[in-house]
Amino acid sequence: MGNQKLYKGSLQTIILKLLAQNDKMYGYEITQKVKELTKGELKITEGALYPALHKLEAEGLLDVEVAKVGNRLRKYYKLTENGTKETANKLEEMQEFLKTMQQLVNPKFSLE
Amino acid sequence: MELTKEQIQRVNKYLDLKGVKFIDFRVEIFDHIVSQIEQKLEVENTDFETIFYQVTDQWNKQLNSSSSFIFGLAYSAPKVVMNKAKKVFKPFFFFTLVLCILPGILMSFLDLKISPQVVNRTSKTINVIALLLSSIWLFTTIKTSRDKIKTVYSFIIKTQSLTIIYVPLMVLTSSIKDGLTITLFLVFVSMVMLNVIFYKKHQKEKEKYKLLVG
């Protein structure tokens, strides 16, 4: 819970990764999936989620689809072709970052 | 557990009260809040009222009214909408700011000797272009203000409606002897450009919600 600031810079990568695995998702679903996968360690707030989604959409990495679900409309996000490429790049960057952090924090047990 | 019509109405009223009338936020936030309440009703052994207050309390921070000096303090919108509007508008704001300063600096450095005939001809051309651009500006401004569907882009156009009125008037009544008219003209051109760009974005955004708009 105290690590929320450390996760902040990775929010876009987390969203892209989830969408790469799930075809299309809506806002609330993303927050719940992250909570589930991290066993409650990471809770994405609405104030951080929607600006990130809208930014990715404006950059052409996400496409939206509005569908009627039950008694209301739902906005789904899915990866565009560029989004799929960018996801691979961002994940590679993330791996590099984790490797570097590992070397800094715990040199004896670094990944290499 | 799906919410009843009355419970749905409560959520709608809450969003109305918070001023979330912008379609590009309303649909998404409404769905999020209803999903949150539905899930909590299933998991927790609590009544709708308690859960409704828990969930809306969580959202209040994002939906409370907010304003910014960029648009003028007279214009307010829910914080989440204002944040997006600021992000979208900032590049145009700084571009216009540069246009306000640059011609004056250039004119003072270049110290151009322009003949009265050239001044006269250029003034007339500027006036004609300003008039043409005014009609484009009027069209986009009136069209978006009359539109019942609001988006973050129509909000930005609305915030610019007061400041722009004086620009064509000043362009039409000045000459280009100093940098002022050129500055006003360039600012006016950039504002019309801004209106056209955001008008198109507003239409595009509406298109995504055609299921709702009809």
Side-chain angles (χ1 to χ4, degrees):
Chain A
M1 286 290 279
N3 298 333
Q4 299 297 317
K5 277 186 186 171
L6 291 175
Y7 291 119
K8 208 179 165 189
S10 316
L11 183 56
Q12 289 194 6
T13 312
I14 294 169
I15 294 170
L16 291 172
K17 172 72 177 165
L18 282 179
L19 289 168
Q21 292 171 323
N22 291 281
D23 184 35
K24 63 177 185 179
M25 294 178 93
Y26 57 97
Y28 181 68
E29 189 183 13
I30 293 173
T31 61
Q32 293 308 102
K33 192 77 187 171
V34 169
K35 205 169 141 187
E36 182 198 316
L37 288 172
T38 63
K39 296 184 176 71
E41 174 67 19
L42 175 57
K43 284 178 186 163
I44 301 181
T45 62
E46 304 76 33
L49 174 70
Y50 290 108
L53 283 170
H54 291 185
K55 189 169 185 275
L56 290 168
E57 187 193 341
E59 285 170 357
L61 302 181
L62 300 185
D63 210 356
V64 298
E65 190 184 298
V66 181
K68 198 163 187 351
V69 177
N71 50 15
R72 59 191 183 267
L73 292 183
R74 180 163 284 165
K75 189 174 176 184
Y76 286 100
Y77 292 90
K78 55 185 178 182
L79 288 178
T80 60
E81 211 172 295
N82 278 343
T84 310
K85 284 178 202 162
E86 191 56 26
T87 306
N89 293 338
K90 291 237 183 212
L91 286 173
E92 208 173 300
E93 274 173 27
M94 178 64 83
Q95 292 287 358
E96 283 299 313
F97 171 75
L98 290 174
K99 214 192 295 179
T100 310
M101 287 308 289
Q102 185 71 24
Q103 281 164 350
L104 279 171
V105 175
N106 203 355
K108 281 182 188 171
F109 300 100
S110 67
L111 298 172
E112 275 189 329
Chain B
M1 183 199 287
E2 219 174 73
L3 300 191
T4 63
K5 267 187 183 174
E6 289 74 26
Q7 289 167 339
I8 290 277
Q9 199 55 28
R10 279 292 298 278
V11 179
N12 269 319
K13 271 190 184 164
Y14 167 72
L15 292 179
D16 287 342
L17 197 75
K18 289 287 171 192
V20 189
K21 54 190 173 185
F22 310 94
I23 197 172
D24 38 351
F25 284 91
R26 175 93 183 203
V27 168
E28 205 157 37
I29 293 174
F30 176 76
D31 181 41
H32 195 120
I33 291 176
V34 174
S35 298
Q36 261 179 306
I37 296 174
E38 282 177 351
Q39 207 219 9
K40 273 178 176 277
L41 279 171
E42 264 174 41
V43 176
E44 296 168 20
N45 191 22
T46 324
D47 60 301
F48 171 80
E49 283 303 311
T50 313
I51 289 172
F52 177 79
Y53 282 111
Q54 278 175 6
V55 171
T56 51
D57 189 49
Q58 192 184 320
W59 275 92
N60 280 342
K61 205 175 154 196
Q62 292 305 317
L63 302 182
N64 280 342
S65 185
S66 156
S67 55
S68 165
F69 80 94
I70 285 189
F71 300 115
L73 299 178
Y75 294 101
S76 61
K79 193 182 168 194
V80 69
V81 179
M82 185 57 82
N83 285 347
K84 186 174 178 182
K86 280 197 287 189
K87 211 172 265 181
V88 171
F89 185 66
K90 254 182 196 165
F92 291 92
F93 178 76
F94 289 113
F95 177 68
T96 312
L97 213 62
V98 171
L99 283 183
C100 288
I101 303 163
L102 205 63
I105 296 172
L106 281 178
M107 294 290 259
S108 62
F109 270 110
L110 294 173
D111 193 24
L112 294 171
K113 301 270 181 285
I114 309 168
S115 70
Q117 288 95 329
V118 173
V119 170
N120 195 25
R121 214 176 307 141
T122 315
S123 285
K124 277 181 184 165
T125 313
I126 282 181
N127 288 349
V128 171
I129 297 172
L131 267 175
L132 285 172
L133 291 178
S134 298
S135 58
I136 297 173
W137 178 83
L138 267 174
F139 172 79
T140 50
T141 304
I142 294 171
K143 201 94 197 288
T144 43
S145 73
R146 282 189 175 179
D147 201 336
K148 281 181 186 162
I149 311 291
K150 304 291 175 201
T151 65
V152 69
Y153 304 108
S154 66
F155 171 73
I156 296 173
I157 290 177
K158 185 180 148 196
T159 61
Q160 300 309 300
S161 56
L162 283 177
T163 52
I164 206 161
I165 292 167
Y166 77 100
V167 181
L169 291 174
M170 288 184 85
V171 171
L172 290 168
T173 52
S174 329
S175 72
I176 61 142
K177 276 175 201 155
D178 49 29
L180 181 68
T181 311
I182 300 211
T183 299
L184 287 171
F185 179 68
L186 290 177
V187 170
F188 182 54
V189 171
S190 91
M191 281 175 149
V192 175
M193 244 171 56
L194 178 147
N195 254 37
V196 172
I197 291 168
F198 288 143
Y199 175 74
K200 280 187 180 169
K201 282 181 182 279
H202 169 71
Q203 298 297 339
K204 207 173 156 193
E205 202 61 42
K206 271 170 59 182
E207 190 62 24
K208 288 179 196 164
Y209 299 93
K210 56 187 172 205
L211 267 174
L212 186 75
V213 180

